[in-house]
Amino acid sequence: MTDSTAKGASQLGGADLFDLSMIRKYDKAGPRYTSYPTAPMFHAGVGALDYASTLKRVADDDAPLSLYIHIPFCNTVCYYCGCNKIVTKQYDHAAPYLELLLKEIDQVATAMGNCKRPVTQLHFGGGTPTFMSNDQMRAIMNKLRQCFNFVAKDEGEFSIEIDPRECDEDTVSVLQEIGLNRMSMGVQDFDPIVQKAVNRIQSKEETMRVLLEARQHGFESMNIDLMYGLPHQTVETFDRTLNTIIDFSPDRIALFNYAHLPHMFMPQRRIDEASIPTPQEKLNILEHSINKLLKAGYIFIGMDHFAKPDDELTIAQQQGKLYRNFQGYSTQADCDLIGFGVTSIGYVGGGFFQNHREMDAYAQEVENGEFSVFRGYVLSDEDHLRRQVIMRLMCDFALEYAQFESEFGIDFKEHFADGLSDLKEMSEDNLVELREDGLTVLPAGRLLIRNVAMTFDEYLQKKKEGTSFSKVI
Ligand SMILES: C[S@@+](CC[C@H](N)C(=O)[O-])C[C@H]1O[C@@H](n2cnc3c(N)ncnc32)[C@H](O)[C@@H]1O
Ligand code: SF4
């Protein structure tokens, strides 16, 4: 990494990052690259038998392991939501799901034998993981600890997504007791009109209560999710939300661009499209938010993420040790990720494996003692190379060609002649600096990092896909 790359991020102001004419010019849909190849490339040719043999093959590797547990349930539906969730007020759905999870954990552990690989990373995602009761959360963790070899709490990243509305007084202490040390909270917007329009009524007080409790219980790196582009939002209304959040002072803030894809997510059809801010108003909100967060001392990490200068994400980026996976940015090195639960995706032994997305299908396979994988993707050598290139771009905003040439035995400029030629226009627009030995994404190109990554995506280049992805800004 050169000094002009991520290291310089701390000195940047909003005006360096936000170039309206360039954002307009390069405005198009693109993947978020939490995986490469992206999920639309997964296919049914990879299934449960491949998963079983892959788990067995990697069981004795030395590298650390990461675990992901998907809890799909939510008590109410937020109309904007694009997550994999099941909306229900019936908490008794949690008990049979717990049984399935415990069974699936046993199945994986059996396939891997007595696996000693250190688990350095665990993430509970959803839906809303705390839909499960405190005892049910304890049961999941007990089972995981019986089956896997967890490193000490202060040596790993053990996290959970929290909806503060679904978090009673005991919940935070139980989450701490079972060994979790990171938390991410959904907020989106505190404005009452916006909250009503998206059916997510959440007070500042209950959000602050959970944040304070988490700090008291020693949780590190608290994150808050915000969203711009929601109905009725204006610069003025969102400014008030930002003021509150800055007062709360979370270590990290994710500022997501609302992806409005009503053909894919039914609840979004309940959002009145006339109330969604115009593209220009959205950009005004984004520009204002970036300026405000940077002024408040946050660093732009990449994509939609901001962190305090002393947060481990910022430090990892400065050291060139930042990674990206399905949960977004991470400080834990790229490693095998085992997914549990309906819809979950794992990355094991150089391949992706996804569980059934329908609860009935997932349940049936697990009850039969089978793995529930219904599709996946085994990476070729070329995929691994491109996955690495896209990962380093998203994390470092730079590439050093020599690193890939020695690791993959290629001549970078020859191998990626097409991609580099596609980047010439961005280079002429001062978004990217192309050199003999590498490239650097310049400050005004950072918000357009997906556009840069897309030039290295073999499948987008071949098929010119992209219609089901959200807009890059
Ligand atoms: C699984 S949810 C968070 C946990 C919890 N269920 C909650 O809502 O508080 C993950 C995050 O995804 C983001 N998200 C959901 N739908 C989105 C959409 N359509 N576009 C952009 N971001 C979205 C929201 O910021 C949300 O907080
Ligand atoms: S944003 Fe969170 S609580 Fe709302 S529907 Fe989506 S997953 Fe459920």
Side-chain angles (χ1 to χ4, degrees), residues 188-218:
Q188 329 311 340
D189 194 320
F190 281 126
D191 186 89
I193 296 170
V194 176
Q195 289 196 351
K196 187 157 180 264
V198 298
N199 196 39
R200 186 182 175 111
I201 312 295
Q202 173 178 342
S203 73
K204 295 175 193 170
E205 292 70 27
E206 63 189 336
T207 309
M208 189 61 185
R209 172 184 61 80
V210 178
L211 192 75
L212 287 177
E213 281 174 11
R215 287 204 179 117
Q216 278 159 12
H217 285 91

Side-chain angles (χ1 to χ4, degrees), residues 4 12 46 58 74-75 110 127 171 196 205 208 212 219 253 261 338 349 352 355 357 400 417 436 445 455 459:
S4 59
L12 292 179
V46 173
V58 303
C74 297
N75 169 312
T110 305
T171 307
K196 187 157 180 264
E205 292 70 27
M208 189 61 185
L212 287 177
F219 277 81
I253 296 171
L261 302 165
I338 301 181
F352 293 106
N355 276 351
R357 289 181 288 197
E400 281 175 17
E436 271 304 296
T455 62
Y459 304 104

Side-chain angles (χ1 to χ4, degrees), residues 72-85 87 126-128 163 165 188 200:
F73 306 109
C74 297
N75 169 312
T76 54
V77 64
C78 312
Y79 295 156
Y80 56 76
C81 184
C83 304
N84 287 312
K85 66 203 173 286
V87 180
T128 302
D163 178 346
R165 302 168 304 164
Q188 329 311 340
R200 186 182 175 111

Side-chain angles (χ1 to χ4, degrees), residues 32 70 73-74 78-84 125-129 161-165 184-188 200 202 225-227 254 256-261 265 268:
R32 301 174 54 75
H70 191 76
F73 306 109
C74 297
C78 312
Y79 295 156
Y80 56 76
C81 184
C83 304
N84 287 312
T128 302
E161 288 166 18
I162 290 282
D163 178 346
R165 302 168 304 164
S184 176
M185 293 203 285
V187 169
Q188 329 311 340
R200 186 182 175 111
Q202 173 178 342
D225 289 340
L226 300 177
M227 213 187 297
F256 295 118
N257 175 7
Y258 169 46
H260 186 64
L261 302 165
F265 307 112
Q268 295 187 351

Side-chain angles (χ1 to χ4, degrees), residues 42-208:
F42 296 3
H43 58 85
V46 173
L49 290 177
D50 304 292
Y51 189 43
S53 61
T54 308
L55 286 172
K56 197 166 173 206
R57 174 163 60 80
V58 303
D60 293 330
D61 288 1
D62 296 326
L65 272 183
S66 177
L67 308 179
Y68 173 74
I69 321 286
H70 191 76
I71 313 281
F73 306 109
C74 297
N75 169 312
T76 54
V77 64
C78 312
Y79 295 156
Y80 56 76
C81 184
C83 304
N84 287 312
K85 66 203 173 286
I86 296 170
V87 180
T88 175
K89 293 207 185 296
Q90 291 180 307
Y91 284 83
D92 52 7
H93 284 343
Y97 189 67
L98 171 69
E99 291 311 311
L100 293 170
L101 278 180
L102 300 182
K103 199 157 183 205
E104 191 186 6
I105 296 169
D106 268 333
Q107 283 165 7
V108 170
T110 305
M112 296 184 88
N114 188 14
C115 179
K116 291 275 175 276
R117 292 178 64 172
V119 174
T120 56
Q121 201 177 26
L122 166 71
H123 185 79
F124 283 91
T128 302
T130 47
F131 187 93
M132 305 301 266
S133 71
N134 292 339
D135 281 343
Q136 288 167 334
M137 290 301 291
R138 284 195 184 99
I140 299 173
M141 277 311 293
N142 285 341
K143 173 61 79 183
L144 288 172
R145 286 185 192 283
Q146 275 166 23
C147 294
F148 293 98
N149 175 26
F150 278 74
V151 298
K153 188 174 175 180
D154 57 358
E155 289 168 25
E157 210 176 76
F158 305 123
S159 55
I160 184 160
E161 288 166 18
I162 290 282
D163 178 346
R165 302 168 304 164
E166 191 74 65
C167 188
D168 66 29
E169 281 175 11
D170 300 332
T171 307
V172 175
S173 73
V174 171
L175 297 177
Q176 180 254 340
E177 168 208 308
I178 64 175
L180 304 185
N181 58 13
R182 308 278 194 287
M183 207 182 259
S184 176
M185 293 203 285
V187 169
Q188 329 311 340
D189 194 320
F190 281 126
D191 186 89
I193 296 170
V194 176
Q195 289 196 351
K196 187 157 180 264
V198 298
N199 196 39
R200 186 182 175 111
I201 312 295
Q202 173 178 342
S203 73
K204 295 175 193 170
E205 292 70 27
E206 63 189 336
T207 309
M208 189 61 185

